[in-house]
Amino acid sequence: MWAPPLSPCPCKASCSPSELDPAMAASALPAGEPPWKTLSAEELERQYSPSRWVIRMKAEEVVSTFVRTGSQATRKARATRRNQLDVPYGDGEGEKMDIYFPDEHSQASPLLLFFHGGYWQSGSKDDSAFMVNPLTAQGVGVAIVAYDIAPKGTLDQMVDQVTRSVVFLQRRYPSNGGIYLCGHSAGAHLAAMVLLAGWTKHGVTPNLQGFLLVSGIYDLEPLIYTSQNAPLHMTLEDAQRNSPQHCLEVAPAKPVGPACPVLVVVGQHDSPEFHRQSREFYETILKTIFPDALRTPGLQPVCTSENLQKMRLPPNTGLSVCP
């Protein structure tokens, strides 16, 4: 497994210690207590409000800009790439995916599944096809997966839905050249939960060849105490059951082979809590799934969902870091 070390917080000069890095407060906590518990309710809310950490625009402009950019890219992808839209992967109304094909598509083409973000309560496949054109141009099929967001869908249902979307694609294209999962924010969490899937009950083992997890949350417990939980209605038990960080720690699983890379990346200007979450999940993966993996020294380029439009796939690899 390869995962890039995380970029440092850009605001070190002006942040207080607790704002700079919640992990710095860990020494003041009882053994085993997470550092986020040192934060005030106001600071915890700020740490888990991604729009407040964007430096290129005002916080209130972030979501609308993201949706507008994604919608434009999706319209372009639908107009220029051969596709099948609203393909059902299950019986539920929200269980649909859009599949985009490369010009030279074959049953052996590699496939990338993308799970959109939106804190499990917003976002859509209809504004998430920003990586389609560059990937299909390189011979990669792309599937953008919809799932039932809150309050209609629960976290348990969402995890089940994205797992079944992987099963569906494997059955539809059994000779595929590898399935790669990519998710941003809430989608990164859902992709990470697929690491824990039990494939026996589905009667098929997908040809998973790589995971790209971008700015995800892997321990959901802090969210219980923020406004983000209002539509989710998470209890502590819900959060623990659906936290890949917690699940890997208590019941390590090894569902992917040693050649399957898992890239855990985070935006340079994401909050310290997002950095901590990615760093700790990365370390947990190394200990539980890839105990023999080598850590890659030095800083590496970091992907954002915007930069996925620029992805390049080198020969003989399924995913690459953005240029």
Side-chain angles (χ1 to χ4, degrees):
M1 184 200 75
W2 180 88
L6 305 174
S7 301
C9 174
C11 55
K12 285 187 177 180
S14 59
C15 290
S16 68
S18 63
E19 292 174 327
L20 168 62
D21 187 352
M24 293 178 64
S27 59
L29 288 168
E33 284 292 304
W36 62 265
K37 290 190 174 181
T38 66
L39 303 177
S40 66
E42 180 181 5
E43 180 60 20
L44 187 65
E45 182 76 19
R46 192 173 79 92
Q47 291 284 327
Y48 285 95
S49 299
S51 295
R52 299 189 188 185
W53 296 85
V54 175
I55 65 172
R56 292 180 295 172
M57 64 190 73
K58 296 179 181 179
E60 59 270 20
E61 299 173 347
V62 172
V63 174
S64 61
T65 300
F66 184 90
V67 171
R68 182 171 63 253
T69 302
S71 297
Q72 291 172 348
T74 300
R75 288 194 296 271
K76 180 179 179 180
R78 290 176 175 177
T80 59
R81 292 296 176 182
R82 188 161 57 91
N83 60 70
Q84 294 178 359
L85 304 180
D86 296 319
V87 178
Y89 64 84
D91 297 328
E93 180 182 352
E95 297 176 354
K96 305 284 197 304
M97 66 170 65
D98 295 341
I99 306 175
Y100 298 85
F101 303 97
D103 292 335
E104 301 297 329
H105 175 67
S106 77
Q107 292 293 318
S109 295
L111 303 168
L112 181 134
L113 269 72
F114 181 76
F115 306 135
H116 68 79
Y119 255 141
W120 307 275
Q121 56 201 270
S122 64
S124 166
K125 68 178 177 62
D126 298 326
D127 53 36
S128 299
F130 36 77
M131 81 298 293
V132 165
N133 279 25
L135 289 181
T136 53
Q138 298 173 74
V140 180
V142 178
I144 313 295
V145 179
Y147 52 91
D148 286 321
I149 58 177
K152 180 180 179 180
T154 66
L155 280 168
D156 289 307
Q157 290 171 330
M158 296 178 217
V159 171
D160 177 64
Q161 286 176 323
V162 299
T163 302
R164 286 189 288 108
S165 76
V166 177
V167 171
F168 170 83
L169 211 66
Q170 177 63 42
R171 286 178 172 156
R172 189 179 181 93
Y173 304 106
S175 301
N176 67 76
I179 294 177
Y180 301 84
L181 302 189
C182 177
H184 171 243
S185 189
H189 158 267
L190 294 173
M193 287 298 290
V194 176
L195 282 167
L196 298 153
W199 302 112
T200 302
K201 68 178 182 180
H202 296 288
V204 62
T205 300
N207 182 24
L208 296 174
Q209 293 297 315
F211 290 73
L212 174 55
L213 312 177
V214 184
S215 294
I217 298 176
Y218 310 105
D219 174 10
L220 304 187
E221 185 178 351
L223 293 179
I224 295 174
Y225 309 101
T226 72
S227 63
Q228 306 295 347
N229 194 36
L232 295 171
H233 304 293
M234 271 194 302
T235 65
L236 178 59
E237 291 75 17
D238 294 332
Q240 291 178 340
R241 185 172 60 253
N242 290 289
S243 291
Q245 175 77 32
H246 175 77
C247 293
L248 281 177
E249 288 174 343
V250 300
K254 295 184 180 181
V256 295
C260 178
V262 180
L263 282 71
V264 179
V265 298
V266 64
Q268 179 182 0
H269 299 294
D270 282 348
S271 75
E273 268 293 281
F274 269 70
H275 277 242
R276 180 188 66 82
Q277 288 247 4
S278 289
R279 182 182 298 110
E280 291 186 1
F281 188 57
Y282 162 57
E283 293 291 343
T284 298
I285 289 174
L286 284 178
K287 289 186 293 186
T288 59
I289 298 180
F290 301 103
D292 299 323
L294 295 176
R295 292 166 173 79
T296 301
L299 291 176
Q300 301 290 338
V302 174
C303 282
T304 64
S305 57
E306 178 180 325
N307 288 341
L308 285 172
Q309 297 181 68
K310 306 175 185 177
M311 285 184 73
R312 297 293 181 268
L313 302 184
N316 303 318
T317 64
L319 291 172
S320 71
V321 181
C322 299

